[in-house]
């Protein structure tokens, strides 16, 4: 076993490996052409709004994209910013700045009342940060946004100690909760005292949530937002999904350590959460996987919860997202064994037949693009030959769903095979296009911090 110092040095070297396109021609050009088509279809905000209104009629659960919502236009600003980096000879930076300007316009119409990473102030601040290459621009805007984040975090009733056992998943998760906010804040290179205090406030909350043997993060039926969850989990659950479950806090805490943060109990929290996830793995014919959640009534009986079905193999739920959280924890802890478990879990996903992965949509959240992006991160950091060989296959699966006749080029595929023209970053064409660019270019997808992947 290598020493902790050598493992940490190896992780640092892995982080500095240059990002490389992992596609050969002509597939590389095909992926970039599809991404460009998406870019061309979404450059008119008013046109996007019209198609988004139709999407709601296509499927009742469609995400409503709103031209007057700062977070929605911020996601497209982020999309075009990265498109412009890949294709600087085009006009995409101008389009990116048009959407960036719309953030200000829409903010005057609708104020943000949440500090969350998706749908809240942290997400908007992250997008503006990506434009802030020199560190000197948008300082007044940053100051306003960061002040609002700090105030809302410190006044949020759920993020104060002591904690009781049983919390709403939206309090701690990546999408709406403390994990996503922390993931953004620890990405800031030079936080002032106000932001540092906010980071430690969130760290204290998540560390208390992850206290060894406590499992305070269990979600009880009274805290579920959806009635359907109460029907499926009448006694509560331990959520295993990256987007809404405990892998989100594990990833956020790991990123905090990798950013140089330290405080009492942080290492113990990482050990506690990673041990829980490793212990609650499932084994099937392809290898390591995880369920959507562990029902509370089965939690004390491994013989029972080990018979649960595996979740789909996506970013939001399933082995890819869990594996990434464990890999980040392994880097933070200099634990090569934990990183190896994460790698084996992801390779098990890729050994699984495509029909058994249950990710039919091309998108980031619950589709092929999310798996592709996670595989790209693992492939660059582990240099695993098997993973590298799988990248073109995943890209081909995404491109097989490209439809030049559709409004955005890619459609979200929902239940019953219903296709939805979704402009949303997580479930729509922009995220899919960015994943294709990540596979086909030498530019690292640093935007994936929004997904807590790097």
């Amino acid at each position: 076993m290598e020493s902790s110092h050598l493992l940490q040095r190896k992780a640092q070297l892995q982080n500095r490996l240059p990002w490389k396109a992992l596609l050969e021609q002509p597939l590389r050009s095909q992926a970039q052409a599809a991404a460009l088509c998406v870019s061309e279809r979404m450059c008119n905000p008013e046109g996007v709004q019209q198609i988004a209104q139709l999407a709601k009629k296509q499927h009742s659960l469609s995400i409503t994209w709103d031209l007057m919502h700062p977070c929605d236009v911020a996601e497209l600003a982020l999309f075009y910013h990265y498109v412009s980096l890949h294709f600087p000879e085009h006009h995409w930076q101008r389009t990116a700045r048009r959407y960036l300007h719309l953030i200000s316009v829409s903010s005057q119409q609708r104020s943000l009342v949440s500090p969350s990473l998706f749908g809240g102030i942290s997400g908007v601040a992250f997008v503006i940060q990506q434009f802030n290459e020199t560190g000197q621009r948008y300082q007044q805007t940053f100051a306003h946004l960061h002040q609002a984040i700090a105030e809302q975090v410190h006044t949020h009733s759920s993020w104060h100690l002591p904690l009781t056992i049983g919390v709403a998943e939206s309090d701690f998760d990546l999408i709406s909760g403390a994990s996503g906010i922390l993931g953004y804040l620890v990405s800031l290179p030079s936080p002032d005292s106000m932001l540092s205090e906010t980071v430690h406030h969130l760290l204290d909350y998540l560390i208390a949530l992850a206290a060894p043997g406590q499992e305070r993060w269990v979600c009880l039926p009274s805290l579920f937002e959806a009635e359907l969850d109460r029907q499926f989990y009448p006694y509560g659950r331990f959520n295993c999904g990256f987007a809404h479950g405990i892998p989100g806090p594990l990833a956020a805490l790991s990123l905090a350590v990798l950013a140089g943060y330290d405080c009492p109990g942080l290492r113990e929290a990482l050990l506690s959460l990673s041990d829980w996830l490793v212990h609650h793995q499932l084994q099937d014919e392809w290898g390591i996987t995880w369920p959507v959640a562990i029902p509370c009534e089965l939690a004390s009986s491994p013989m029972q919860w080990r018979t649960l079905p595996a979740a789909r193999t996506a970013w939001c739920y399933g082995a890819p997202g869990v594996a990434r959280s464990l890999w980040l924890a392994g880097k933070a802890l200099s634990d090569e064994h934990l990183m190896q478990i994460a790698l084996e879990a992801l390779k098990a996903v890729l050994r699984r037949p495509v029909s058994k992965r249950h990710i039919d949509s091309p998108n980031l959240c619950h589709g092929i693009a999310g798996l592709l992006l996670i595989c790209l991160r693992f492939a660059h950091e582990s240099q695993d030959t098997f993973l590298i060989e799988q990248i073109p296959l995943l890209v081909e699966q995404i491109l097989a769903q490209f439809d030049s006749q559709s409004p955005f080029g890619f459609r979200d595929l929902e239940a019953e095979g219903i296709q939805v023209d979704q402009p949303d970053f997580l479930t729509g064409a922009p995220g899919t296009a960015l994943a294709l660019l990540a596979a086909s270019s030498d530019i690292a997808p640093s935007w994936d911090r929004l997904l807590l992947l790097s």
Side-chain angles (χ1 to χ4, degrees):
M1 183 66 68
E2 294 178 86
S3 71
S4 173
H5 174 74
L6 289 176
L7 286 170
Q8 190 171 22
R9 178 62 177 162
K10 180 185 288 186
Q12 292 171 347
L13 290 173
Q14 288 169 345
N15 287 340
R16 286 202 292 267
L17 286 175
W19 190 269
K20 294 291 185 182
L22 296 182
L23 302 179
E24 301 293 337
Q25 297 290 11
L27 188 60
R28 180 174 180 174
S29 293
Q30 292 169 2
Q32 293 181 346
L36 272 174
C37 181
V38 174
S39 306
E40 291 161 356
R41 302 292 178 82
M42 306 192 76
C43 59
N44 179 5
E46 291 76 18
V48 174
Q49 177 73 69
Q50 291 177 359
I51 296 170
Q53 290 172 344
L54 295 176
K56 194 63 180 176
K57 298 178 181 178
Q58 292 171 326
H59 196 270
S60 60
L61 297 180
S62 296
I63 295 173
T64 303
W65 191 91
D66 188 353
L67 184 58
M68 286 296 101
H69 196 298
C71 297
D72 290 348
V73 293
E75 290 177 354
L76 284 185
L78 178 70
F79 168 62
Y80 280 106
H81 175 63
Y82 276 89
V83 170
S84 73
L85 296 179
H86 289 84
F87 306 105
E89 69 278 9
H90 293 268
H91 60 276
W92 301 123
Q93 186 59 225
R94 188 163 63 248
T95 306
R97 295 197 177 279
R98 182 182 182 189
Y99 276 106
L100 189 66
H101 172 70
L102 283 173
I103 298 174
S104 175
V105 174
S106 59
S107 296
Q108 296 173 15
Q109 303 292 324
R110 182 179 300 183
S111 59
L112 295 174
V113 296
S114 167
S116 63
L117 189 58
F118 285 87
I121 302 172
S122 292
V124 172
F126 173 82
V127 170
I128 295 175
Q129 180 198 23
Q130 300 301 294
F131 282 83
N132 191 28
E133 297 175 358
T134 66
Q136 301 300 319
R137 304 167 67 184
Y138 312 115
Q139 292 307 301
Q140 186 174 0
T141 301
F142 267 132
H144 174 73
L145 293 173
H146 289 161
Q147 178 70 32
I149 292 172
E151 290 176 355
Q152 292 182 14
V153 165
H154 285 284
T155 57
H156 196 291
S157 60
S158 299
W159 297 333
H160 288 274
L161 306 181
L163 298 181
T164 58
I165 293 179
V167 297
E169 290 162 355
S170 59
D171 284 339
F172 67 78
D173 76 0
L174 187 161
I175 300 294
S176 304
S179 298
I181 303 164
L182 179 64
Y184 164 65
L185 292 178
V186 299
S187 73
L188 298 172
S190 302
D192 58 22
S193 59
M194 175 189 69
L195 289 182
S196 294
E197 183 181 346
T198 305
V199 165
H200 283 279
H201 185 83
L202 293 171
L203 284 173
D204 289 343
Y205 165 74
L206 290 175
I207 289 169
L209 199 72
Q214 300 287 330
E215 295 178 350
R216 293 190 177 102
W217 49 276
V218 62
C219 189
L220 302 176
S222 60
L223 299 171
F224 286 138
E225 296 181 2
E227 178 59 35
L228 192 61
D229 288 332
R230 279 186 279 274
Q231 295 175 17
F232 275 110
Y233 303 99
Y235 301 99
R237 69 182 177 194
F238 297 96
N239 194 319
C240 301
F242 193 43
H244 297 293
I246 205 59
L250 178 60
L253 292 171
S254 301
L255 291 170
V257 172
L258 293 170
Y261 288 89
D262 191 18
C263 58
L266 181 51
R267 178 180 173 82
E268 290 76 12
L270 291 180
L271 289 169
S272 174
L273 295 182
S274 57
D275 286 349
W276 192 95
L277 285 168
V278 170
H279 176 70
H280 288 86
Q281 66 179 271
L282 305 178
Q283 290 282 341
D284 61 18
E285 57 190 294
W286 300 287
I288 301 170
T289 188
W290 281 269
V292 168
I294 305 289
C296 284
E297 66 270 25
L298 305 184
S300 61
S301 176
M303 290 185 62
Q304 289 185 290
W305 59 252
R306 284 175 182 157
T307 64
L308 291 168
R312 59 191 173 196
T313 56
W315 168 79
C316 58
Y317 280 95
V322 179
R324 189 58 185 171
S325 73
L326 290 173
W327 177 271
L328 292 172
K331 289 172 68 175
L333 293 167
S334 298
D335 186 336
E336 191 173 73
H337 177 65
L338 189 57
M339 296 169 72
Q340 188 62 36
I341 291 173
L343 182 61
E344 286 302 317
L346 186 60
K347 292 168 76 170
V349 169
L350 299 170
R351 288 192 293 266
R352 187 181 297 268
V354 172
S355 62
K356 301 293 185 181
R357 295 178 188 174
H358 304 298
I359 49 171
D360 300 322
S361 189
N363 66 35
L364 283 176
C365 180
H366 52 270
I368 308 166
L371 174 58
L372 170 63
L373 192 60
I374 291 171
C375 288
L376 285 169
R377 279 292 174 188
F378 270 88
H380 279 89
E381 294 173 21
S382 71
Q383 296 295 298
D384 185 90
T385 303
F386 175 70
L387 290 184
I388 293 172
E389 292 172 346
Q390 296 297 309
I391 300 302
L393 302 180
L394 293 170
V395 169
E396 288 172 351
Q397 291 168 31
I398 294 173
L399 291 178
Q401 297 197 39
F402 178 72
D403 179 5
S404 62
Q405 302 303 310
S406 67
F408 299 137
F410 288 102
R411 287 185 163 118
D412 180 24
L413 190 63
E414 290 296 341
E416 294 84 40
I418 297 174
Q419 293 182 317
V420 185
D421 297 306
Q422 193 71 270
D424 178 71
F425 180 79
L426 279 178
T427 63
T432 304
L434 284 182
L436 290 175
L437 290 178
S440 61
S441 80
D442 297 337
I443 298 175
S446 55
W447 54 266
D448 69 358
R449 169 54 71 103
L450 197 61
L451 306 175
L452 298 197
L453 294 181
S454 66

